[in-house]
Amino acid sequence: MIRYLAEGVKHAFGLHRPGRILPVLPDDILLASYPQSECTSLQFLLANLFHPDREVNFDNLRHVVLDPDVSTKRDFDRSPRPRIMNTRSGFDARYRRVIYLVRDPRDVAQSRYETLRKLRKIDDQLSIADFIDRFLAGKDVQERSSQDDSGSWGENVGSWMAVRSSHPGFLWLRYEDLVADAERELKRVADFLGLPTDPKKISQAIERSSLVPLVNERNELPEAQVASIEEAWGDIMACLGYKLTTRDPGDALKSSLIALLMSDGRAARPVPGNGNRP
Amino acid sequence: MIKRLVNATKRALGKSNPGRYFQVFDDDTFIVSFPKSGNTWTRFLIAHLIHPEETPNFGNIDRLVPESEGLTTNQLAALPRPRVMKSHQYFDARYRKVIYIVRDPRDVVVSQFHFFRKRRRIDDNYPLEKFVRSFVAGETCDYSSWGGNVASWLVTRQNSKDFLLLRYEDMLASTEVELNRVASFLGIGVTPEIVAQAVERSSADQMRKLEGGSSTALVTKNSRQDIPFVRSANIGGWKKTLPEAAVAELEDAWGDLMVYLGYELQHPEKRAAVDFRFTERN
């Protein structure tokens, strides 16, 4: 009962976390990504791009880039427009402007395995093979909250891809490209958002975001696990321009619904990561 | 301020409607579809299978196979588990077990047009062409567009053993066969008699009679009584009603997906190479 009342008071004063019932505004910008895709780097870059006069650090980042599951309703009400939001959820039809940060699932898997072990969310004895089975099923943490709607990597990426891949209000960003050439990628983001693309401003945003260095840490996954990942999501990976090492990409794309939707059946549409660049 | 306090209190006491944001359990099964794709009919059919002791009608269907978003937090929590619920949501990773019903979008749009007239959301003079345009843009409801809703589920789940795709057209043509598939998917043992009875008692004629006898269900309440909820329940009715340009607009938006699902196009020449079908997978 006390808990109920406390919740009620929080709601009345706007201190609750609005989660999915947050009313979305037409100019909201959503940064979507799967966990362990280094989204914090992109959050810093965007925060610095939008607020060149403000010092963005780990303490105030969550007031600048809002998370419906973490920030309070009051944060949302006080945020300048357009609001920048961050999500781990799969496809959400309410947002008109979406930037999806995608990272190679083989790196995501490895990084998630290490992070979850460090956080003691998974048993230290859990082998990488057993972990990958769970990862593929979207159940890497045994007791995920019933509100966790991030799904598996393939579900998360695939759900956005299926609906928005050719939508003008949608931008793919590969983490690997961000590491390779942050200036070029941030310029694409600025173009997409209709912000000034002055090279000085872009370099300044990158410099100020240096507290999260852009590096792609890679550890080799055992070949069998790479094969399982490519077996499950080979078509999505190939559409995103990730090189498959255990199977033929043509084979992965054959009879693939996602490839069909991405290509639109008539003329091949350029895939993100190679032809999509200005 | 008063309104905010009332809302806050309602929420605190579990008397508000959580919408998409409600607690999902791993053993829930969802009957999902874009609106106007035969979801209510399927709910009636499945209600016969899971509650053979009761005869579903428009008065009790919201209790037998409830609409997840029509209930308050408390009502949802009080449902016996495992729950079988109706939903129109596009992909939601929390739904583990899903029966997805798909219907030819050319029939769906006509059906939704009449449904919106029934609910007084558009008046009788509203042009069908204009409606088709917003339908394609996904602006007629909160569940994404037809193509968005269908593709979001197929891309993510079509290979899962916890996903069953039903085509409304197959259900009409061979209801018993499809209902047997549903029963085995749900792990319910059924006799041919139960299936036959479910089919008979859920026929369009029977459903129309049931609708006439009651208007308390969420799907029909507060709407115009001169337009029926259970309409023609037919296949290809669009050929008589939809203007040529509207058909082209729908096929232009979702032709590939339609071919993939086995729906024959009016303008197949526009599609270069969709050489595989969902139906060939089974």
Side-chain angles (χ1 to χ4, degrees):
Chain A
M1 191 60 203
I2 300 280
R3 197 164 56 95
Y4 275 157
L5 280 174
E7 272 302 302
V9 171
K10 268 194 188 174
H11 275 277
F13 289 101
L15 296 174
H16 60 293
R17 290 157 186 168
R20 268 212 148 148
I21 52 173
L22 173 82
V24 171
L25 304 172
D27 61 342
D28 282 344
I29 298 162
L30 183 72
L31 305 182
S33 65
Y34 196 67
Q36 247 72 48
S37 302
E38 302 292 343
C39 187
T40 313
S41 323
L42 182 60
Q43 290 177 32
F44 268 104
L45 286 169
L46 267 178
N48 281 313
L49 197 63
F50 267 95
H51 305 285
D53 309 322
R54 186 172 174 181
E55 192 203 334
V56 183
N57 53 42
F58 279 101
D59 293 328
N60 64 19
L61 183 66
R62 71 193 168 86
H63 299 294
V64 183
V65 179
L66 305 158
D67 184 332
D69 294 322
V70 177
S71 314
T72 62
K73 183 168 174 298
R74 190 183 275 180
D75 283 331
F76 280 97
D77 293 343
R78 291 181 180 173
S79 166
R81 302 267 299 265
R83 306 183 299 185
I84 312 172
M85 279 120 82
N86 173 38
T87 187
R88 305 280 192 223
S89 301
F91 171 62
D92 188 328
R94 299 172 302 166
Y95 294 90
R96 310 319 300 166
R97 295 204 284 175
V98 179
I99 299 173
Y100 195 99
L101 179 69
V102 66
R103 188 183 180 199
D104 190 323
R106 294 162 294 198
D107 293 333
V108 172
Q110 180 79 41
S111 156
R112 191 144 172 85
Y113 178 60
E114 275 148 30
T115 305
L116 290 176
R117 271 168 42 140
K118 208 181 290 171
L119 295 172
R120 295 178 214 277
K121 291 268 178 76
I122 52 172
D123 186 29
D124 230 17
Q125 305 301 313
L126 185 73
S127 71
I128 183 78
D130 288 340
F131 175 77
I132 295 296
D133 287 343
R134 289 196 199 171
F135 179 73
L136 289 170
K139 291 204 157 253
D140 47 9
V141 186
Q142 212 103 72
E143 68 293 341
R144 271 204 190 184
S145 116
S146 68
Q147 298 304 352
D148 182 338
D149 56 3
S150 51
S152 69
W153 181 89
E155 288 179 342
N156 198 300
V157 180
S159 65
W160 284 102
M161 217 168 178
V163 191
R164 289 287 173 85
S165 51
S166 55
H167 195 277
F170 187 83
L171 182 76
W172 286 110
L173 211 56
R174 297 198 314 176
Y175 181 69
E176 294 77 11
D177 293 334
L178 204 54
V179 173
D181 192 341
E183 257 140 68
R184 180 191 63 198
E185 295 303 303
L186 202 54
K187 185 178 173 301
R188 282 179 68 215
V189 172
D191 274 336
F192 173 73
L193 296 175
L195 294 172
T197 54
D198 173 9
K200 245 193 259 158
K201 290 231 162 94
I202 302 252
S203 318
Q204 186 195 313
I206 293 170
E207 204 173 295
R208 291 193 175 173
S209 306
S210 61
L211 50 167
V212 269
L214 289 165
V215 282
N216 195 17
E217 278 178 51
R218 309 191 67 152
N219 282 296
E220 289 307 307
L221 274 183
E223 166 130 352
Q225 275 63 57
V226 172
S228 322
I229 292 177
E230 295 183 0
E231 179 58 37
W233 302 321
D235 54 348
I236 299 182
M237 293 169 70
C239 283
L240 290 167
Y242 291 121
K243 205 161 169 260
L244 304 186
T245 60
T246 62
R247 63 187 292 209
D248 173 45
D251 196 46
L253 291 170
K254 194 168 161 268
S255 303
S256 151
L257 176 60
I258 197 76
L260 175 70
L261 295 171
M262 289 284 279
S263 73
D264 207 358
R266 284 160 289 188
R269 194 184 289 277
V271 292
N274 41 55
N276 205 11
R277 195 143 292 128
Chain B
M1 189 62 199
I2 300 278
K3 203 174 145 212
R4 260 166 83 184
L5 275 171
V6 170
N7 282 344
T9 312
K10 262 194 177 177
R11 197 163 299 146
L13 297 177
K15 293 194 168 159
S16 65
N17 178 336
R20 186 179 163 114
Y21 203 67
F22 67 97
Q23 176 152 24
V24 175
F25 297 114
D26 268 1
D27 58 354
D28 287 339
T29 300
F30 292 91
I31 306 171
V32 187
S33 72
F34 189 78
K36 312 316 291 172
S37 301
N39 201 315
T40 300
W41 181 44
T42 312
R43 273 166 92 192
F44 272 77
L45 287 168
I46 292 179
H48 277 284
L49 301 188
I50 55 180
H51 297 287
E53 73 288 354
E54 295 201 53
T55 307
N57 55 50
F58 279 91
N60 66 12
I61 193 66
D62 287 323
R63 177 168 54 82
L64 300 179
V65 182
E67 189 169 350
S68 50
E69 285 171 73
L71 301 179
T72 66
T73 305
N74 288 349
Q75 288 169 325
L76 282 163
L79 294 172
R81 285 171 63 186
R83 306 180 296 187
V84 177
M85 293 188 285
K86 163 210 169 163
S87 167
H88 286 314
Q89 286 294 346
Y90 45 83
F91 174 67
D92 187 323
R94 300 171 307 158
Y95 297 9
R96 301 311 313 176
K97 211 169 161 82
V98 170
I99 298 172
Y100 192 86
I101 313 153
V102 69
R103 184 185 184 189
D104 189 325
R106 295 164 296 194
D107 282 327
V108 174
V109 71
V110 175
S111 177
Q112 195 174 51
F113 178 69
H114 290 297
F115 183 63
F116 276 29
R117 284 175 50 226
K118 178 173 172 57
R119 297 296 287 263
R120 302 185 186 87
R121 288 177 61 173
I122 53 176
D123 64 40
D124 281 343
N125 301 322
Y126 198 93
L128 181 55
E129 290 86 342
K130 195 171 158 196
F131 188 79
V132 171
R133 208 161 310 129
S134 14
F135 182 82
V136 169
E139 288 158 2
T140 57
C141 59
D142 292 336
Y143 305 113
S144 183
S145 65
W146 177 86
N149 197 299
V150 174
S152 74
W153 282 107
L154 282 185
V155 158
T156 49
R157 293 288 174 85
Q158 61 174 348
N159 296 321
S160 163
K161 62 169 179 37
D162 287 328
F163 183 82
L164 179 71
L165 180 77
L166 299 175
R167 294 196 324 162
Y168 177 71
E169 293 76 11
D170 295 338
M171 297 201 29
L172 272 184
S174 40
T175 318
E176 294 188 15
V177 175
E178 297 302 303
L179 202 51
N180 274 309
R181 286 178 66 211
V182 171
S184 69
F185 178 75
L186 291 173
I188 305 174
V190 286
T191 60
E193 290 74 32
I194 291 182
V195 173
Q197 190 183 335
V199 174
E200 199 218 303
R201 290 193 179 165
S202 313
S203 70
D205 279 345
Q206 282 299 323
M207 297 268 297
R208 265 189 285 272
K209 272 187 208 149
L210 290 173
E211 186 192 347
S214 150
S215 55
T216 53
L218 286 170
V219 288
T220 53
K221 79 174 179 195
N222 300 333
S223 63
R224 275 170 67 170
Q225 297 305 308
D226 60 323
I227 305 171
F229 176 77
V230 181
R231 261 176 11 100
S232 48
N234 68 5
I235 301 171
W238 59 270
K239 286 177 191 152
K240 279 180 270 158
T241 351
L242 270 189
E244 181 62 35
V247 175
E249 208 168 328
L250 290 159
E251 294 186 1
D252 201 49
W254 303 312
D256 297 325
L257 193 53
M258 290 167 71
V259 175
Y260 182 71
L261 290 164
Y263 297 127
E264 210 174 299
L265 300 188
Q266 190 106 310
H267 302 285
E269 68 283 356
K270 285 192 184 169
R271 302 289 139 180
V274 185
D275 55 358
F276 52 98
R277 306 267 188 285
F278 185 87
T279 35
E280 287 160 17
R281 300 159 45 90
N282 299 12

